[in-house]
Amino acid sequence: MILYIFACIGLTFIIKYGSILNWLRSPLVKINFFKELLSCSLCIGFWSGVYIGMLGFFIENDSRYVLLPLISAPICWFSDCVIGVLQSIEIYLDNKK
């Protein structure tokens, strides 16, 4: 289960920040619904959990993965907050030099 949670975090960060998906993200953010969805790590974390949970459910045939979206959403949000704080600290320290 931990592996699937890390997969959700990784998928969330790739969807939200990954330059490899700029070609898809750029036209989508012009639509207000997708702009809000793609800027929310809680939302992306939920849908990442749905996708990864479906894979886990069908691969391992385990019903525990039905709850993965509810676990993934807050963990992805918290991870994004932690990364944001670390980036702010890094910027502050770089500007201080």
Side-chain angles (χ1 to χ4, degrees):
M1 181 69 102
I2 298 292
L3 181 65
Y4 286 96
I5 292 172
F6 279 116
C8 291
I9 294 170
L11 183 58
T12 298
F13 277 75
I14 290 169
I15 290 171
K16 189 171 181 183
Y17 301 113
S19 60
I20 196 165
L21 291 179
N22 277 343
W23 64 273
L24 180 61
R25 202 172 33 250
S26 295
L28 285 178
V29 295
K30 294 177 183 173
I31 303 167
N32 195 36
F33 172 77
F34 288 110
K35 181 179 181 181
E36 289 183 32
L37 177 68
L38 293 174
S39 66
C40 175
S41 56
L42 188 70
C43 303
I44 299 172
F46 175 81
W47 289 109
S48 296
V50 168
Y51 177 72
I52 300 294
M54 285 180 9
L55 287 176
F57 178 76
F58 289 116
I59 290 171
E60 297 183 17
N61 200 16
D62 190 349
S63 62
R64 289 181 302 158
Y65 293 104
V66 174
L67 296 176
L68 187 62
L70 301 176
I71 298 166
S72 171
I75 290 176
C76 290
W77 172 80
F78 182 75
S79 300
D80 194 30
C81 290
V82 169
I83 295 296
V85 168
L86 292 175
Q87 287 176 335
S88 296
I89 292 170
E90 180 185 22
I91 290 169
Y92 173 76
L93 292 175
D94 286 345
N95 290 336
K96 201 169 182 179
K97 288 181 182 181

